[in-house]
């Protein structure tokens, strides 16, 4: 049962750090609106540190689960944990999972905001360079590329 207690401890640590990560992501969103680059760098460093700890604990959790009989090719660990009958362990697992999904969602939103800011900066840079009258086409990945009048798209 030491493995189960260790797993509970790791999950409790995940829940605590995922709460901190959610706060950091919220702060990151606010800083993206303010364009405070120095503060964004600090938040990014903190975020990366937290994520590294979460990744390390994920490896430890898988090792512990394997030690108590989980087979990685058997599917989702949540089914194995629920079937174990350890209600407290399953509750911690579910809580950590929902907090992780929430953080992923907020992080994706922040990524979209960052993408919009990059596009805006690109447009402003084009205006400063005097290239704003260029025609724009979209590439395979959805990125805009300028097409000058001297670019030949096809010939007959």
């Amino acid at each position: 049962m030491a493995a189960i207690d260790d797993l509970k401890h790791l999950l409790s640590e995940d829940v605590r750090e995922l709460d901190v990560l959610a706060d950091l992501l919220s702060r990151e969103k606010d800083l993206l609106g303010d364009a405070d680059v120095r503060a964004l760098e600090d938040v990014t460093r903190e975020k990366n540190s937290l994520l590294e700890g979460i990744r390390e604990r994920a490896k430890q959790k898988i090792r512990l689960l394997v030690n108590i009989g989980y087979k990685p090719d058997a599917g989702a660990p949540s089914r194995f944990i629920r079937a174990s009958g350890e209600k407290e362990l399953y509750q911690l697992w579910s809580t950590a999972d929902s907090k992780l999904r929430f953080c992923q969602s907020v992080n994706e939103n922040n990524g979209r905001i960052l993408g919009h800011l990059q596009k805006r900066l690109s447009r402003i840079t084009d205006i400063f360079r005097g290239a704003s009258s260029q025609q724009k086409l979209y590439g395979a990945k959805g990125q805009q590329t300028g097409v000058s009048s001297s670019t030949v798209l096809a010939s007959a």
Side-chain angles (χ1 to χ4, degrees):
M1 288 300 173
I4 290 177
D5 290 336
D6 291 343
L7 194 53
K8 287 178 185 178
H9 174 72
L10 291 172
L11 287 167
S12 295
E13 188 68 19
D14 277 351
V15 168
R16 187 187 66 74
E17 285 199 358
L18 286 166
D19 284 335
V20 173
L21 182 60
D23 291 341
L24 270 176
L25 291 169
S26 175
R27 194 165 35 146
E28 180 183 56
K29 181 181 178 186
D30 294 340
L31 292 171
L32 285 170
D34 296 342
D36 187 349
V37 176
R38 288 197 193 269
L40 270 171
E41 288 174 350
D42 293 340
V43 166
T44 301
R45 260 192 303 279
E46 284 182 65
K47 185 170 78 168
N48 288 337
S49 175
L50 282 172
L51 289 173
E52 185 60 35
I54 291 168
R55 283 185 202 106
E56 284 302 314
R57 278 192 304 282
K59 292 174 190 174
Q60 293 172 0
K61 288 184 294 193
I62 291 297
R63 277 187 237 122
L64 287 171
L65 283 168
V66 167
N67 287 342
I68 60 175
Y70 171 70
K71 299 198 181 340
D73 58 343
S78 58
R79 280 187 261 153
F80 174 79
I81 292 171
R82 185 177 335 140
S84 73
E86 290 283 335
K87 291 181 182 179
E88 183 184 356
L89 179 63
Y90 182 70
Q91 181 61 38
L92 281 168
W93 184 273
S94 298
T95 301
D97 183 57
S98 66
K99 289 180 183 291
L100 179 64
R101 290 180 194 279
F102 174 77
C103 287
Q104 287 173 330
S105 172
V106 174
N107 194 49
E108 287 172 4
N109 287 337
N110 288 357
R112 282 191 284 276
I113 291 169
L114 189 58
H116 291 299
L117 291 173
Q118 288 172 333
K119 285 180 185 178
R120 186 183 321 164
L121 180 62
S122 176
R123 287 186 204 125
I124 291 170
T125 304
D126 286 349
I127 291 169
F128 283 138
R129 287 186 306 190
S132 64
S133 62
Q134 279 186 335
Q135 296 294 320
K136 300 281 185 182
L137 294 178
Y138 287 97
K141 294 184 180 181
Q143 300 295 328
Q144 286 185 352
T145 56
V147 179
S148 68
S149 59
S150 64
T151 302
V152 177
L153 294 177
S155 63

